[in-house]
Amino acid sequence: MATVTTMEERSDTPAKRGFYEPFGEYHMSWYAVMPSSELAPGKVKSTKFCDGRIAVFRGEDGAVHAMNARCKHMGADIGLGDVVGNNVRCPFHHWEYDGSGACVRIPSGDRIPNHTTLLTFPCEDSEGLIWVFLGREAPHRAPRLADCEEGKVLSRSFGIDFKEPLQVEPWALTANTFDFAHFRAVHHFNMDDITKFSDGHVRGWEGDIGEQGFMRIELHGISNVVSYLRKPGEAMKRQLGGLCPKGDEGLKLFMTIFTDLSDPSEAARQEAEARLDEFEALHRKIAEEDLAVMNSVEFGRVRLTEGDKEVAEFLRSVQTYPRTTIRKLEAAMTDGRGAP
């Protein structure tokens, strides 16, 4: 098993560090890394991911795979290579790796050396986004939405590029899911009649929030939020937001937004596309506003009140949620405790 860390196991306790200070490690969670549309069959891309870099490729069979981007031969970025059938090929000397990370071909004809298997990650193509789990095995599936019958909804997936790096951990933003004091004071939501729920890796709340109608918010794992909003007289709005840490590039936000499609006519589709245009523009605006606020916060000690009890519960879960790094996962492979 790879080494993971929880706050209780650290010698530098919250009293020494300040509650919000980053750990230098990352939560073992699903992270959205790109829209599905950006990775056609037979294509490979590399991207920063947590403390390293991964190559994500889609074989000719349509299956998606994710692995450490550094070729075991001389460290070239495999994401600059190409896909051969259902394997990915390094651009430097054309070493080929299959979806399990195993080196399966060296064009020179030499014997494949030992310890040439690349670290791979659980990977899913779901809800218009490609997801990668930080760990060797995922305890649950990547986020999914309910009540999205095929042919009756229209969706759009995209990533948001911030004007400057968003230098916080994902949980610093997803904590807003449980910030009832914020909802009451800033958005004027009625939070008196909501119902909280927790079911395995999904937790959140739902209920009538006043003039805004019915709302349900789900936190999947530690870094992904699904929300449903139905205002009086309007169709249900659904959205999925996934945050991905990218080292010194900061956080990247990926989203899939949904709107109802009343019928298959072209007129109905154009109306739905217009709603998605408006919905996407709103989210981009909100994201930029959040950037300025979040980058201005000094994450040190906090002074919570009785009205912050839901946030306090969430922060306690942040403390105990397992963390690791790509370096630790790699080390577990090479020292005999993980894959060969």
Side-chain angles (χ1 to χ4, degrees):
M1 295 293 292
T3 303
V4 299
T5 306
T6 63
M7 179 172 278
E8 283 85 353
E9 298 169 326
R10 300 185 64 93
S11 59
D12 43 350
T13 63
K16 295 180 181 178
R17 294 175 56 84
F19 199 97
Y20 286 98
E21 291 184 31
F23 288 60
E25 299 166 334
Y26 300 84
H27 284 115
M28 299 177 71
S29 180
W30 284 102
Y31 297 106
V33 297
M34 67 186 69
S36 304
S37 59
E38 292 186 2
L39 197 70
K43 296 296 182 182
V44 59
K45 295 184 70 173
S46 71
T47 180
K48 286 191 174 182
F49 181 69
C50 298
D51 61 313
R53 192 170 193 88
I54 58 172
V56 184
F57 77 95
R58 193 189 297 273
E60 292 181 357
D61 61 0
V64 179
H65 307 277
M67 58 188 62
N68 193 315
R70 299 303 174 190
C71 179
K72 287 290 187 175
H73 184 208
M74 293 189 180
D77 186 345
I78 293 173
L80 301 178
D82 55 7
V83 175
V84 180
N86 296 315
N87 299 334
V88 64
R89 185 168 65 181
C90 176
F92 202 3
H93 295 89
H94 280 190
W95 282 31
E96 284 186 30
Y97 298 86
D98 65 14
S100 73
C103 181
V104 295
R105 181 172 182 268
I106 297 177
S108 66
D110 294 338
R111 181 184 66 82
I112 297 174
N114 294 329
H115 306 296
T116 53
T117 297
L118 290 171
L119 172 68
T120 59
F121 304 87
C123 187
E124 292 188 15
D125 188 347
S126 173
E127 307 293 12
L129 299 171
I130 293 175
W131 303 84
V132 177
F133 185 84
L134 180 63
R136 296 307 308 277
E137 296 182 4
H140 52 79
R141 302 291 300 277
R144 283 164 171 75
L145 277 77
D147 192 29
C148 284
E149 187 175 346
E150 187 175 354
K152 294 189 177 181
V153 295
L154 198 65
S155 67
R156 180 182 300 172
S157 301
F158 53 92
I160 294 179
D161 293 313
F162 296 105
K163 295 178 180 177
E164 59 184 87
L166 178 54
Q167 299 289 11
V168 296
E169 294 189 24
W171 64 264
L173 276 74
T174 57
N176 189 52
T177 303
F178 304 99
D179 194 347
F180 291 3
H182 171 82
F183 287 129
R184 288 188 177 99
V186 178
H187 301 293
H188 309 294
F189 286 2
N190 172 24
M191 304 300 292
D192 296 332
D193 298 323
I194 61 96
T195 300
K196 294 183 288 185
F197 57 83
S198 179
D199 182 14
H201 67 284
V202 179
R203 52 195 160 147
W205 57 268
E206 66 177 12
D208 188 338
I209 55 175
E211 294 181 359
Q212 291 83 3
F214 171 85
M215 191 170 196
R216 177 183 174 92
I217 295 187
E218 303 170 353
L219 176 62
H220 290 240
I222 206 75
S223 55
N224 309 297
V225 177
V226 173
S227 66
Y228 306 82
L229 175 64
R230 178 182 284 118
K231 292 185 177 181
E234 296 184 9
M236 178 77 80
K237 291 182 178 178
R238 309 168 183 86
Q239 65 188 46
L240 166 60
L243 292 159
C244 183
K246 291 178 174 286
D248 58 3
E249 293 181 2
L251 284 186
K252 182 73 178 283
L253 171 62
F254 295 93
M255 297 195 70
T256 298
I257 53 178
F258 300 79
T259 187
D260 289 341
L261 188 62
S262 58
D263 60 63
S265 69
E266 183 60 27
R269 178 171 290 275
Q270 289 180 1
E271 290 180 3
E273 289 284 3
R275 289 196 298 273
L276 290 178
D277 288 342
E278 182 179 353
F279 206 15
E280 179 180 349
L282 174 62
H283 280 297
R284 290 185 180 277
K285 178 177 181 294
I286 292 173
E288 285 299 334
E289 292 172 350
D290 286 346
L291 169 67
V293 173
M294 296 306 298
N295 276 348
S296 73
V297 175
E298 292 185 1
F299 289 122
R301 291 186 177 276
V302 295
R303 299 293 182 268
L304 301 181
T305 69
E306 178 63 24
D308 298 315
K309 62 182 179 180
E310 288 80 14
V311 174
E313 291 174 1
F314 171 72
L315 295 181
R316 282 193 289 270
S317 71
V318 168
Q319 291 177 293
T320 58
Y321 209 95
R323 292 178 178 255
T324 192
T325 64
I326 292 177
R327 287 186 179 184
K328 285 186 175 182
L329 295 170
E330 283 277 13
M333 292 180 65
T334 58
D335 67 9
R337 291 184 288 115

